[in-house]
Amino acid sequence: MAYDPERHHRRSIRLSGYDYSQPGTYFLTLCVHNRDCIFGEVLAGQMHRNVIGEIVAEEWLKSAKMRPELRLDQWIVMPNHLHGIVSISGAMTLERER
């Protein structure tokens, strides 16, 4: 079934007022705009990343190298989203690198 924003409504499961930059372990889902399948495809139950999916995987791995307070656990790139478990061990800085 295709995504229909008129029928498919998801409420946020985030805790109101919770500071998600504080230390802890978090499950993330990052979705592609309009849920377009641009990262690859699932064939015979196996995810096959395309070039864009490979870039997403490389950038996910780079995030822990750029931010020493992060530790990446299990993760997977799917055709239109990424799931990952990430642990924050210290205070996150929200400044962008220049």
Side-chain angles (χ1 to χ4, degrees):
M1 172 186 286
Y3 173 73
D4 178 358
E6 295 300 317
R7 289 185 25 196
H8 300 104
H9 301 282
R10 291 186 69 166
R11 69 175 182 80
S12 176
I13 60 172
R14 288 178 162 228
L15 295 175
S16 180
Y18 184 80
D19 178 4
Y20 283 92
S21 68
Q22 70 181 350
T25 300
Y26 302 94
F27 179 80
L28 304 174
T29 300
L30 305 174
C31 296
V32 173
H33 180 69
N34 292 327
R35 291 184 166 66
D36 294 333
C37 294
I38 61 172
F39 297 156
E41 60 186 334
V42 176
L43 300 170
Q46 286 283 94
M47 174 60 190
H48 296 272
R49 295 188 299 240
N50 60 20
V51 173
I52 298 171
E54 289 298 327
I55 292 169
V56 169
E58 290 169 13
E59 293 301 316
W60 174 255
L61 293 171
K62 278 185 193 177
S63 62
K65 292 178 182 170
M66 294 170 31
R67 297 169 186 88
E69 65 275 12
L70 292 183
R71 184 181 61 78
L72 303 179
D73 201 323
Q74 297 295 308
W75 59 276
I76 188 167
V77 176
M78 296 302 290
N80 63 2
H81 63 283
L82 174 137
H83 288 300
I85 299 172
V86 61
S87 294
I88 302 173
S89 62
M92 293 280 297
T93 58
L94 300 179
E95 295 179 20
R96 289 194 166 263
E97 294 183 25
R98 295 179 185 217

